[in-house]
Amino acid sequence: MLERLEAIRQRYEELSLELSKPEVLSDIKKTTALSKEQASLKEAYEAYQKYQKLNSDLKEARELIHDKEMGEFAKEEENRLTDEIKDLEAQIEIILLPKDPNDEKNVIVEIRGAAGGDEANIFAGDLYRMYSKYAEKQGWKLEVLNEEHSDMGGFPLVQFMVKGQSVYSKLKYESGAHRVQRVPVTETQGRVHTSTATVLVMPEAEEVDVEIKQSDLRIDVFRSTGAGGQCVNTTDSAVRITHIPSGVVVTCQNERSQIQNKEKCMQMLRTRLYEEELRRQEEELGNERRNKIGTGDRSEKIRTYNYPQNRVTDHRIGFTTKNLDRVMEGHLDDIINALITTDQNRKLKGE
């Protein structure tokens, strides 16, 4: 552990030196890359600084234990510092766990109404609102990329981007089938129905992550439809891009100009192709999908939202909370923190 921490300290300080050089500061691309690398090391670097300080203080306390005047105080300090060092070592073990290289990235989220007809679409809308509220509480920015509205409310499909600090590290656990149990607004007999919506969370791909040839694209433009406002629907501003080799199709009609919609489409296309490449690599390695909590497959039922009992259950880790009303208002921290903790514990055990 100490060898790794020392290597991190050296690299962090090397990066600080590099970032102070005028020739580096004049190169925006290089400055950005070095700054990102340093930011990824900062937590471990600061923990190591604290660890060294605590050990230095502990050494001083032990030297004073046999002093007549300071002995009792030094003994108390030794006990306190020993406990602090033990706690910090446990934290450092987690900090040094292998990081998902995508954890710091923004995400594109896709929610679809699945089994249950109109009620599934309404529930997809409820999930979108839940994630919107959660993003707001985290200080993240949410931007709708594409939406298809249902006549009864909600969405057969809504796609949106979430931008902020370490977004993927928290939202990556949300991919899968979400099940709702409640009396739908469309139900006249008061019976509880079960419906599902699927969620797919993809790390945003940058241009360096995926190479796309213009010759592989078919680009179509058409008149925007749905709740876009009169000015959106008066021109052929909506864009559909088909990636011919993979068959992936992306659409964007939420922006007012064709150019803006095309940019958003390319953003979604890169992310979709990057996601498929990650899936292919992991399948070749024979590993579970992205993390030990779940496969990230939308067919995998991950969570049930039971309205009559005000209960949410995450089936992957057996976590249950009786605060469904708060969860739907974006209070997801308890569930997501439980998923993160379980994932970390499994990695610590070498699973």
Side-chain angles (χ1 to χ4, degrees):
M1 183 184 81
L2 291 178
E3 287 179 0
R4 287 187 62 191
L5 288 171
E6 182 58 28
I8 288 170
R9 181 195 65 77
Q10 290 179 13
R11 180 57 182 160
Y12 187 91
E13 292 176 358
E14 284 173 8
L15 289 167
S16 294
L17 186 61
E18 283 291 304
L19 287 165
S20 68
K21 295 178 179 178
E23 63 269 25
V24 173
L25 292 172
S26 63
D27 185 336
I28 296 175
K29 192 172 182 180
K30 188 170 184 179
T31 299
T32 301
L34 294 178
S35 296
K36 281 186 177 180
E37 183 184 354
Q38 189 177 55
S40 71
L41 301 175
K42 185 177 180 181
E43 188 178 15
Y45 176 80
E46 291 181 346
Y48 186 38
Q49 298 296 303
K50 184 178 179 181
Y51 184 77
Q52 289 180 310
K53 177 68 167 58
L54 287 174
N55 275 285
S56 176
D57 292 346
L58 179 61
K59 183 180 178 181
E60 290 180 10
R62 284 174 172 166
E63 289 174 353
L64 292 172
I65 283 178
H66 300 294
D67 186 278
K68 291 182 179 180
E69 294 182 0
M70 300 292 292
E72 188 174 340
F73 172 76
K75 184 62 179 175
E76 290 176 2
E77 275 293 281
E78 181 191 36
N79 293 335
R80 181 185 67 81
L81 291 166
T82 300
D83 290 341
E84 277 197 43
I85 290 170
K86 185 177 179 181
D87 291 342
L88 183 57
E89 285 175 341
Q91 293 173 32
I92 289 172
E93 278 190 26
I94 293 172
I95 291 171
L96 292 179
L97 285 173
K99 294 285 193 302
D100 185 328
N102 293 311
D103 273 352
E104 301 301 316
K105 291 190 174 185
N106 300 325
V107 303
I108 289 179
V109 182
E110 177 183 288
I111 304 176
R112 292 178 181 269
D118 289 331
E119 168 64 2
N121 295 337
I122 292 170
F123 181 51
D126 293 338
L127 290 176
Y128 166 70
R129 181 176 179 274
M130 177 184 77
Y131 291 126
S132 299
K133 292 280 189 180
Y134 179 66
E136 183 181 344
K137 294 179 193 305
Q138 297 294 314
W140 298 337
K141 180 182 177 183
L142 187 144
E143 177 184 357
V144 175
L145 300 172
N146 188 41
E147 55 189 344
E148 298 174 10
H149 292 267
S150 170
D151 292 338
M152 295 299 295
F155 306 98
L157 168 67
V158 59
Q159 295 164 309
F160 54 95
M161 172 170 280
V162 186
K163 297 180 179 180
Q165 184 176 1
S166 304
V167 179
Y168 186 71
S169 69
K170 293 185 176 181
L171 289 184
K172 66 182 176 182
Y173 301 102
E174 295 303 296
S175 288
H178 295 241
R179 181 175 69 175
V180 62
Q181 295 172 328
R182 65 185 177 189
V183 179
V185 294
T186 55
E187 168 60 46
T188 58
Q189 304 297 320
R191 294 172 297 186
V192 173
H193 287 224
T194 298
S195 305
T196 59
T198 61
V199 176
L200 178 61
V201 179
M202 299 171 283
E204 180 192 13
E206 300 172 8
E207 290 188 33
V208 294
D209 295 323
V210 180
E211 181 183 356
I212 299 176
K213 297 178 182 177
Q214 287 297 315
S215 59
D216 288 339
L217 302 179
R218 185 174 72 242
I219 301 175
D220 302 302
V221 295
F222 57 97
R223 188 68 53 89
S224 296
T225 60
Q230 187 176 5
C231 56
V232 173
N233 299 319
T234 55
T235 61
D236 291 337
S237 60
V239 176
R240 180 189 301 112
I241 298 180
T242 303
H243 185 250
I244 298 168
S246 66
V248 172
V249 180
V250 291
T251 302
C252 186
Q253 58 180 349
N254 279 58
E255 301 297 335
R256 296 188 178 188
S257 79
Q258 190 182 118
I259 293 174
Q260 289 173 315
N261 281 323
K262 183 180 176 182
E263 288 176 354
K264 294 292 171 61
C265 268
M266 288 301 296
Q267 195 173 39
M268 286 194 286
L269 179 60
R270 281 195 300 269
T271 295
R272 175 74 70 174
L273 295 176
Y274 184 54
E275 169 76 7
E276 293 194 358
E277 176 62 18
L278 290 176
R279 186 185 295 271
R280 185 190 63 78
Q281 290 175 2
E282 286 156 3
E283 286 175 354
E284 284 181 359
L285 291 171
N287 293 334
E288 288 187 31
R289 176 87 169 102
R290 180 161 298 117
N291 56 69
K292 298 293 182 178
I293 295 298
T295 65
D297 193 320
R298 280 181 289 178
S299 65
E300 178 190 16
K301 182 185 71 179
I302 65 168
R303 195 175 297 152
T304 294
Y305 304 74
N306 186 296
Y307 276 72
Q309 298 177 22
N310 196 38
R311 169 174 55 81
V312 181
T313 299
D314 195 289
H315 304 290
R316 295 164 293 180
I317 58 174
F319 179 89
T320 296
T321 176
K322 291 296 188 78
N323 294 310
L324 170 60
D325 50 344
R326 284 178 52 78
V327 168
M328 299 310 292
E329 288 297 317
H331 294 276
L332 283 166
D333 281 330
D334 287 349
I335 298 174
I336 289 176
N337 288 339
L339 287 161
I340 291 172
T341 299
T342 301
D343 199 17
Q344 288 173 344
N345 288 338
R346 289 177 178 177
K347 287 175 181 175
L348 286 170
K349 292 176 183 176
E351 294 181 5

